[in-house]
Amino acid sequence: WLFVPGLKLDNSLRSLSAMKTLERLDLHDSWLNDEQLSQIKDMTQLHYLDINSTDVSTSGIQNIANLTQLSYLHMGLNNIGDQAIDAILNFQRIYELDLHATMITDKGVAKLANLRSLRNLDLSATRTSDAGLAAIASLPNLERLDLEGTNISDRGLAHLKACKTLKRLRLSNCPLLTKKAVYDFDREFNKQDE
């Protein structure tokens, strides 16, 4: 496991890319950009990659599409849009995906329904709305979902009733949700545990 947050990387990733058996790489809050990210594309044994709060964009994510062993990918607070999801779909083993504060919209969220192993999904502060929830409600293993600060409404919340594996749902700061809808959902959701 290599943990180097806050580091100004320059060309140091070139030497790291020789570590072909590295399984965990944490580069959050570093000065990582698209070109530097492409230098790890041959680290095909990576299971965990944290690039939260870096300078990576959609094209940078497309450069690592061959890291198919990834099960944890944290890439929030980056300039990442819906086209990045096409690369993420190569990660069929993905267990946890953090997209918070990115430019992902319902179009990109709908594609996430193809990631059948996904259990933890953070879409907080994205452009997710009701249409996106309709698609991800079909994820068979989804346990944790963070929708804080999104534009979901009561209608969108109703889609999540189909998600029987859900254990934790974060809905704070969703201005279009009514207290009644959240109360009703919580009451019905907790009946599943009885």
Side-chain angles (χ1 to χ4, degrees):
W1 178 345
L2 187 58
F3 178 62
V4 287
L7 183 66
K8 189 161 186 170
L9 296 169
D10 297 326
N11 289 322
S12 56
L13 280 181
R14 286 193 210 286
S15 56
L16 286 180
S17 66
M19 300 173 70
K20 304 271 190 240
T21 59
L22 190 67
E23 294 182 0
R24 296 177 63 101
L25 182 58
D26 189 334
L27 299 168
H28 80 274
D29 291 327
S30 66
W31 296 92
L32 183 71
N33 61 35
D34 292 341
E35 181 183 343
Q36 292 165 329
L37 184 63
S38 72
Q39 294 173 19
I40 68 164
K41 67 182 177 204
D42 294 325
M43 299 175 84
T44 57
Q45 296 304 305
L46 276 180
H47 293 276
Y48 178 101
L49 179 60
D50 187 340
I51 54 172
N52 273 333
S53 192
T54 60
D55 288 325
V56 172
S57 71
T58 296
S59 58
I61 299 303
Q62 292 166 340
N63 289 333
I64 61 165
N66 63 323
L67 300 181
T68 58
Q69 299 299 311
L70 282 177
S71 52
Y72 294 84
L73 178 58
H74 296 237
M75 55 187 207
L77 290 165
N78 280 307
N79 189 20
I80 294 170
D82 293 333
Q83 295 87 358
I85 302 300
D86 294 332
I88 293 169
L89 292 178
N90 289 317
F91 311 141
Q92 285 299 307
R93 295 180 178 196
I94 200 86
Y95 178 93
E96 181 169 306
L97 181 59
D98 178 350
L99 296 167
H100 82 278
T102 60
M103 297 183 309
I104 301 295
T105 69
D106 290 331
K107 181 180 175 184
V109 171
K111 293 178 182 180
L112 295 176
N114 294 309
L115 296 174
R116 310 306 280 169
S117 61
L118 196 58
R119 290 188 182 192
N120 301 329
L121 179 59
D122 187 345
L123 294 171
S124 60
T126 62
R127 297 174 183 169
T128 304
S129 68
D130 298 346
L133 293 186
I136 61 170
S138 67
L139 285 167
N141 297 303
L142 190 63
E143 295 177 358
R144 293 177 180 215
L145 180 60
D146 189 340
L147 297 168
E148 179 182 8
T150 60
N151 286 319
I152 63 164
S153 71
D154 299 354
R155 193 171 130 197
L157 185 59
H159 292 302
L160 294 179
K161 291 178 183 177
C163 196
K164 302 300 182 194
T165 56
L166 200 59
K167 295 178 182 175
R168 181 176 174 206
L169 177 62
R170 189 168 178 204
L171 297 170
S172 56
N173 299 316
C174 295
L176 303 178
L177 275 178
T178 65
K179 289 180 183 179
K180 181 180 181 342
V182 173
Y183 174 79
D184 291 346
F185 181 85
D186 184 54
R187 194 176 63 207
E188 188 172 325
F189 181 74
N190 287 320
K191 278 186 184 178
Q192 294 176 19
D193 293 336
E194 294 175 356

